[in-house]
Amino acid sequence: MSGDVPANNYGNIVKPGRMGILGLPLGISLLGVPLVLIVVLMLTRNLYVPALTVVGIAIFAFALVSIRRPSDGRNFYERRALLMAHRRSVKRGDNLYIAGPTGRTPDGKTRLPGLLAPSELTSHLDSFGNPFGLIRLQSARHYTVVLETYPDGDSLVDQQRINSMIDHWGAYLADTGVSEGIIGVSVTVETSPDSGLRLRRMTQNNKHAGGSEFSHAVIDDIPSSFRSDSPAITTRLAITFSGKGVDTKGSDRGLSVMADEIGNRLPVLIGNLFDTGAGTSVRACTAQDIVDFTRTAYDPTVAAQIEQARAEGGTGLDWVDAGPTFAAREVDHYFHDRAVSKTWHMFEGPRGQFGPKVLKPLLSPTPGVLRKRVTILYRPIPAGEAASVVEADINNASFAGSTKRRPSARQQQRLAYAKKAAQEEEQGAGLVRFGIVITATCAATTEFPRLDKIIPSLSNRARLRIRPALGNQDVAFQAGLPLGLVLAEHTLLPDQVRDWI
């Protein structure tokens, strides 16, 4: 019977990186080669004291690299670099954003700050004639479409069906690595207090004029009775396409070409989500939908007004009105309009196996928070590169285990995972880089000492290790929005170089 089907276990998650000697990154280990040559040259010339001095300094420097604080996984240099970069930005005034008629924007608009400042939002029709909004980031040649889903959840769903939904979601992600042009996928689950406007409209619209006074009293009492502390949960999925052409320069293919291509592919992308647990009412967000939920993210205090305006015909807001009037980035939090947010990001995933419901506590509503977003960022590895990636991981795990006479259980497990990943990739499985961003938006910073204990404890149940996004809270805040921001595409160093260091 279906009730006897056990829950599947999942795992085989490996942190990207090239391991060197003594567990250091390969790039750091290679820096020690010229140091060894210098020490040997000193010893050949009988410069023993200077050689010992160099060795002592090197040991101290490498110790600062290898010793990482358990709470955030950062070493001394990483923490200092983040703090120094933030202080320099504060001195230049780059941490402040003031928009509007009296702000610094030339046209007096409240555009999105940071990486999304040059973005454009246009409206188009798919191959079935349904409207969808398309976010264009011309500088990176990225085009993003946002889907709103209505998941069924796992209540009253047997385990066999849950296993099937997870398998279909894995196949969906694997297909993004095969599909041409998809460079990023993000899933955002947002929880917030329900305003009660939808329930009130539903009850009032269904009230019969000829009903009794008692029935009218019951209907009028329902919104106030059932709205108390009830959460509103929304789930959105952003798919980002690359607009680079096939020429050597990778020039932008253009808005019209990409809109036609995405519009033709959109019905298939939506239809393939039905068996993943996303529900059967998946739809593409219109341009107005994207503007409205983005404005609400930057100023949650207007959520009820925006919801009311949408019910009465629309807000009339444009993309240039979706950003904040004021924003200030601090070291570990981010002020924006009449709210303040703090963002954490994952720095280490589950080391062992985990079940299908480990993220449920983290996705559940948290009291005292205006809005909480949990965003899982996926970057599919193209099928043509997957084979070389798994082979490199096998070589890396083998080298890390060979540096010791007796490899640790963790190193043996990593080698076994790498070999299993190679076997699954050969059978058609896809490879995906992923990360998790958690954003909590509150009315004041006084809530953060409590959340600094609650949020990590919820992630510990999911066997995740998270840390605050020090010095880049504004960027992490935007990464947690379902707007298709692929952070790796905006860094100066490619993945191969970052894996070495």
Side-chain angles (χ1 to χ4, degrees), residues 18 381-396 422 425 431 496:
R18 300 296 180 89
I381 298 176
E385 302 177 10
S388 60
V389 171
V390 295
E391 290 296 333
D393 196 33
I394 291 177
N395 296 334
N396 185 36
E425 188 277 331
L431 294 179
Q496 294 79 2

Side-chain angles (χ1 to χ4, degrees), residues 41-73:
L41 183 61
M42 288 181 176
L43 293 177
T44 57
R45 297 188 177 185
N46 298 326
L47 300 176
Y48 298 111
V49 175
L52 290 175
T53 303
V54 172
V55 170
I57 295 175
I59 292 175
F60 179 74
F62 279 99
L64 294 179
V65 173
S66 58
I67 298 176
R68 297 182 176 272
R69 195 159 58 179
S71 59
D72 60 7

Side-chain angles (χ1 to χ4, degrees), residues 130-337:
N130 299 316
F132 70 94
L134 186 62
I135 303 173
R136 181 192 188 191
L137 197 57
Q138 188 173 4
S139 57
R141 286 155 291 187
H142 291 175
Y143 296 82
T144 300
V145 62
V146 183
L147 309 179
E148 186 161 2
T149 67
Y150 303 90
D152 300 326
D154 59 354
S155 299
L156 303 178
V157 179
D158 57 39
Q159 190 60 49
Q160 184 177 4
R161 174 58 179 162
I162 294 175
N163 294 343
S164 176
M165 290 189 295
I166 297 175
D167 292 342
H168 279 89
W169 174 242
Y172 189 90
L173 291 176
D175 187 63
T176 59
V178 178
S179 301
E180 182 181 0
I182 297 180
I183 60 173
V185 178
S186 68
V187 179
T188 301
V189 178
E190 183 178 66
T191 57
S192 61
D194 195 345
S195 63
L197 294 176
R198 289 176 297 176
L199 180 60
R200 184 175 293 108
R201 287 196 305 269
M202 183 185 69
T203 54
Q204 294 300 319
N205 292 338
N206 287 277
K207 185 165 58 174
H208 194 275
S212 63
E213 293 183 2
F214 176 75
S215 63
H216 286 183
V218 171
I219 290 178
D220 293 338
D221 186 62
I222 286 176
S224 58
S225 300
F226 287 89
R227 189 182 65 86
S228 178
D229 298 328
S230 61
I233 303 176
T234 58
T235 304
R236 298 184 178 96
L237 186 145
I239 304 176
T240 302
F241 298 81
S242 175
K244 295 181 180 179
V246 295
D247 57 348
T248 56
K249 296 182 180 180
S251 58
D252 195 346
R253 297 171 60 188
L255 177 61
S256 60
V257 174
M258 291 301 300
D260 291 340
E261 179 180 328
I262 294 174
N264 291 331
R265 298 174 61 178
L266 195 54
V268 177
L269 292 172
I270 293 177
N272 291 341
L273 284 171
F274 293 160
D275 291 327
T276 65
T280 57
S281 301
V282 181
R283 68 175 186 89
C285 291
T286 64
Q288 191 63 59
D289 294 335
I290 297 174
V291 171
D292 293 343
F293 74 67
T294 303
R295 183 72 193 100
T296 303
Y298 276 99
D299 190 1
T301 61
V302 301
Q305 291 90 326
I306 288 180
E307 185 178 348
Q308 183 67 34
R310 287 174 60 87
E312 296 175 352
T315 61
L317 296 174
D318 294 325
W319 188 236
V320 293
D321 304 319
T325 304
F326 165 79
R329 183 190 74 244
E330 301 297 335
V331 175
D332 60 351
H333 56 271
Y334 179 51
F335 290 98
H336 47 91
D337 281 352

Side-chain angles (χ1 to χ4, degrees), residues 27-42 54 62:
I28 303 298
S29 299
L30 293 178
L31 292 178
V33 175
L35 182 65
V36 173
L37 296 177
I38 293 174
V39 172
V40 172
L41 183 61
M42 288 181 176
V54 172
F62 279 99

Side-chain angles (χ1 to χ4, degrees), residues 348-413:
E348 186 174 322
R351 291 187 175 184
Q353 294 185 343
F354 53 91
K357 299 182 180 181
V358 292
L359 287 179
K360 192 171 183 178
L362 189 61
L363 298 175
S364 300
T366 300
V369 177
L370 294 178
R371 299 187 101 77
K372 186 182 74 172
R373 282 183 301 276
V374 179
T375 301
I376 306 178
L377 307 171
Y378 299 96
R379 281 198 297 135
I381 298 176
E385 302 177 10
S388 60
V389 171
V390 295
E391 290 296 333
D393 196 33
I394 291 177
N395 296 334
N396 185 36
S398 299
F399 176 78
S402 64
T403 57
K404 296 181 180 180
R405 178 177 296 181
R406 293 183 179 180
S408 64
R410 189 71 62 188
Q411 291 172 336
Q412 294 177 357
Q413 185 185 49

